[in-house]
Amino acid sequence: DAKTTQPNSMESNEEEPVHLPCNHSTISGTDYIHWYRQLPSQGPEYVIHGLTSNVNNRMASLAIAEDRKSSTLILHRATLRDAAVYYCILAPGGTSYGKLTFGQGTILTVHP
Amino acid sequence: EAGVAQSPRYKIIEKRQSVAFWCNPISGHATLYWYQQILGQGPKLLIQFQNNGVVDDSQLPKDRFSAERLKGVDSTLKIQPAKLEDSAVYLCASSFIPGANEKLFFGSGTQLSVL
């Protein structure tokens, strides 16, 4: 499975935008880019996903590079409740049944 | 909409004992996953079901772990006998159908401590 590289940790201030980067240089044409986050003592929570075009939803925006070798998750106004581990994952298409392989993720700390 | 239900929330056992975890996915979700999350690591897929059939169990330690989803709805994951290294959170997830364009819904997990 293609792998992703994320910073181990990032910090932000409340009400400021947060840009979480992810590198996936070995991405294949059918891989979807997924982001999940995990709050303490909870299971992972879906945030957003996309294939080629940028995506927006109520939680965040996903900016995908034109060559698809990197992407950025954007939280427009961080709140204390956004403090979590954020996982960038490639979900392979084809016959792999969309298997998600989690890495270490980025620990986001939000300061009041 | 009800989420993925898991029980128990916590379990403490001695090594070499057996333990079972239960998962009820979101209604109508055909695909069910069991993940193992060791402290400080990301979740690792153990097994994936499509309805009541297994589509991926390549990372399931089959000498001690077993899982079933007999009626294509709820599922049970069993460990027998447990080892110290099995201490982890066991997460169940479900999706409407399998596929890279589908999102997964996770339960809160069962935290297992093996002493």
Side-chain angles (χ1 to χ4, degrees), chain A residues 30-32 34 36 38 41-46 49 87 91-94 96-104, chain B residues 9 33 35 37 40-43 45 48 50 55-56 58-59 91 98-108:
Chain A
T30 58
D31 289 347
Y32 278 77
H34 285 245
Y36 283 74
Q38 188 170 23
S41 301
Q42 294 188 26
E45 173 189 30
Y46 169 83
H49 78 288
Y87 296 99
S96 63
Y97 297 95
K99 172 181 171 180
L100 296 185
T101 301
F102 287 76
Q104 294 289 101
Chain B
R9 188 75 176 89
Y33 312 77
Y35 281 82
Q37 186 171 25
Q41 300 181 17
L45 179 68
Q48 178 179 347
Q50 175 63 18
V55 297
D56 187 345
S58 57
Q59 297 198 84
L91 295 160
N101 196 23
E102 291 296 314
K103 56 186 180 183
L104 270 61
F105 296 83
F106 283 82
S108 297

Side-chain angles (χ1 to χ4, degrees), chain A residues 8-80:
Chain A
N8 289 333
S9 62
M10 291 187 64
E11 297 187 16
S12 175
N13 294 317
E14 202 173 10
E15 298 188 4
E16 290 185 354
V18 181
H19 290 234
L20 296 166
C22 181
N23 287 320
H24 29 78
S25 58
T26 60
I27 190 170
S28 73
T30 58
D31 289 347
Y32 278 77
I33 302 161
H34 285 245
W35 284 84
Y36 283 74
R37 71 180 185 181
Q38 188 170 23
L39 280 66
S41 301
Q42 294 188 26
E45 173 189 30
Y46 169 83
V47 178
I48 201 166
H49 78 288
L51 182 61
T52 57
S53 303
N54 295 343
V55 184
N56 299 295
N57 65 22
R58 64 174 182 81
M59 290 181 68
S61 295
L62 175 61
I64 301 173
E66 197 169 330
D67 64 4
R68 301 210 323 128
K69 294 185 176 182
S70 65
S71 61
T72 302
L73 178 70
I74 303 166
L75 306 179
H76 295 286
R77 289 186 65 194
T79 69
L80 297 179

